[in-house]
Amino acid sequence: MKKIFVLSFISVGYFLDAQSLSNSPYATYGIGDVKYDNTIETTSMGGISTAYISDFNSNFNFANPANNANYELTSIKLEATNENNYFKTDYNNTTKSNKHSTYLSNISLAFPISSKVKMGLSYQPYSSKSYEIVNYETLSDGTIYAANRFKGSGTLNTAQVALSYKVSPEFSVGARANLYFGNLYDINELTYTDAQLVNGYETKNSIKNFNFTLGTSYQTVNTRTDRKLTIGATATFGNTNNMTTEYTNSTYTFADADGTKANQTIIEQKSTNSKNLLPLQASLGVGYGSENHWFVSLQGDYKKGETISYFGNTFDFQDSYRISAGGWYLPNYNNFRSYFSRVVYRYGAFYEKGNLQLYGNNINKFGISAGVLLPFKNSSITRMSGLELGIELGKRGTLKDNLINQNFINFRVGFNFADKWFRKSLYN
């Protein structure tokens, strides 16, 4: 049984690596459209996680690995995301476009090693490129004489191993090792209608990067009122290896309709390495709640700007920050006459000052979110398994200076299977 599960875990990971994810035209810059965190639990609460210690013993926190003091069961999570993006620009007398995709967004396995040590493994996409933009050059009479095409593809994935250690009833620490891997492609092709020759600029980023996330959390409980105050912090640093960028400027023709290159002539070709792919990131959060009833949290995240090669040139990203607020509410889990009294309701909102600036405009992002955990019929407060549902609505970008405004609505669905698995019985 265990061997079958391990093989299934690897197979799903391979499928996830081969996915094509929908994203924004702003993914043309850098390493693509970065997914903040694809777990339904986190996104449904606006992204709060740094000061979030689940009251239930079946939810493992990967964002801050220190926040797993209550985790006691073995759990498997499988989650999928449906993204729906709606684009609009005032360029060329207003242009609109829609893009949709569905993909496997998270698979994780977590289990306790002892009463103080907990461990988790996860695999999910970190960023992606999947865009195609064509700009036609015309003469004064409206005749098209050239097509300038921009295309991008590829996915950067992350595999994580997290450990949590409970130092005292109030204080915990944790560490997570992060492996990022994948290939990202950007191609710019200029084609003139009176000639078959294509001038192509291709950038290939091969990424194998490794870093660490350290976390800490402190939670104090008023035993008289069951009220909890939680403070958490994380820092991600220690990049090893690097990203290899291969840049090729060439001319060629297409041998067939599939775009196979022929008669290629290299004009310029070079390769560069970057060690600033995933720079310093830090997070600080505070939360307050009532045991098994409700919780609210406020969180701030900071990410240092990075430098990346793009079509043979370097592109500098700004420092960015994100403010998140959210929480959950459980009406009354002991009310077995009303199923919806035993449902966990989640809510949240966020504002993100983006690291991308174009023509003096910051490409910012904000949104609201909500979700529910629908417990299975045989679930209890100590075995919180169920169906996870989440929704996120928001906006990114601007219409200023002929840039693109992006509205999005994302749906998420997943399963959390939690129980006392893989444990030896103390008595026969």
Side-chain angles (χ1 to χ4, degrees), residues 14-79:
Y14 176 81
F15 171 73
L16 191 152
D17 181 55
Q19 296 181 106
S20 177
L21 283 61
S22 168
N23 51 48
S24 166
Y26 294 117
T28 57
Y29 299 92
I31 59 174
D33 195 17
V34 175
K35 312 298 177 183
Y36 179 73
D37 193 313
N38 278 328
T39 62
I40 299 175
E41 186 177 27
T42 298
T43 55
S44 296
M45 297 188 293
I48 61 106
S49 58
T50 305
Y52 170 58
I53 299 177
S54 176
D55 286 20
F56 316 113
N57 55 10
S58 56
N59 289 294
F60 192 90
N61 188 329
F62 283 91
N64 184 355
N67 287 343
N68 294 293
N70 297 333
Y71 189 80
E72 296 178 0
L73 303 178
T74 298
S75 70
I76 301 171
K77 283 191 176 183
L78 296 173
E79 299 176 347

Side-chain angles (χ1 to χ4, degrees), residues 284-302:
L284 178 66
V286 60
Y288 186 73
S290 177
E291 179 81 12
N292 295 331
H293 190 35
W294 58 267
F295 177 79
V296 293
S297 178
L298 180 67
Q299 178 176 316
D301 300 282
Y302 166 80

Side-chain angles (χ1 to χ4, degrees), residues 172-191:
S172 298
V173 295
R176 190 182 77 229
N178 314 296
L179 173 63
Y180 305 87
F181 57 95
N183 295 312
L184 301 173
Y185 303 88
D186 293 284
I187 301 174
N188 175 208
E189 294 177 332
L190 180 61
T191 307

Side-chain angles (χ1 to χ4, degrees), residues 50-267:
T50 305
Y52 170 58
I53 299 177
S54 176
D55 286 20
F56 316 113
N57 55 10
S58 56
N59 289 294
F60 192 90
N61 188 329
F62 283 91
N64 184 355
N67 287 343
N68 294 293
N70 297 333
Y71 189 80
E72 296 178 0
L73 303 178
T74 298
S75 70
I76 301 171
K77 283 191 176 183
L78 296 173
E79 299 176 347
T81 296
N82 170 247
E83 292 187 354
N84 303 275
N85 294 305
Y86 306 91
F87 307 108
K88 180 182 178 181
T89 177
D90 288 339
Y91 177 75
N92 224 3
N93 297 321
T94 305
T95 301
K96 296 182 180 180
S97 178
N98 303 331
K99 194 169 185 181
H100 315 275
S101 71
T102 301
Y103 60 94
L104 182 65
S105 53
N106 179 52
I107 174 174
S108 66
L109 166 67
F111 49 88
I113 296 178
S114 69
S115 61
K116 291 188 174 182
V117 181
K118 318 296 167 64
M119 182 176 183
L121 309 170
S122 75
Y123 191 97
Q124 61 180 229
Y126 179 79
S127 70
S128 67
K129 285 177 178 282
S130 178
Y131 68 90
E132 183 170 356
I133 303 171
V134 182
N135 181 28
Y136 294 101
E137 304 292 339
T138 60
L139 299 174
S140 58
D141 62 357
T143 304
I144 297 175
Y145 71 91
N148 200 5
R149 186 183 305 272
F150 296 86
K151 294 187 294 184
S153 62
T155 301
L156 177 60
N157 298 291
T158 177
Q160 303 171 337
V161 180
L163 283 173
S164 173
Y165 180 70
K166 189 174 184 178
V167 180
S168 69
E170 296 83 17
F171 182 68
S172 298
V173 295
R176 190 182 77 229
N178 314 296
L179 173 63
Y180 305 87
F181 57 95
N183 295 312
L184 301 173
Y185 303 88
D186 293 284
I187 301 174
N188 175 208
E189 294 177 332
L190 180 61
T191 307
Y192 292 95
T193 56
D194 59 352
Q196 294 182 348
L197 198 64
V198 179
N199 189 192
Y201 302 81
E202 181 176 358
T203 302
K204 176 185 177 182
N205 293 312
S206 300
I207 302 166
K208 285 186 179 179
N209 198 81
F210 187 79
N211 62 16
F212 293 94
T213 299
L214 299 181
T216 182
S217 67
Y218 175 82
Q219 185 177 81
T220 178
V221 181
N222 186 326
T223 55
R224 183 174 58 85
T225 62
D226 283 336
R227 296 295 173 88
K228 297 181 177 182
L229 174 66
T230 310
I231 301 172
T234 66
T236 300
F237 56 90
N239 280 321
T240 62
N241 298 328
N242 52 39
M243 176 179 68
T244 301
T245 301
E246 297 176 356
Y247 166 74
T248 303
N249 180 7
S250 65
T251 59
Y252 47 85
T253 60
F254 291 130
D256 52 40
D258 294 329
T260 304
K261 295 178 183 179
N263 305 316
Q264 185 175 21
T265 300
I266 304 297
I267 300 174

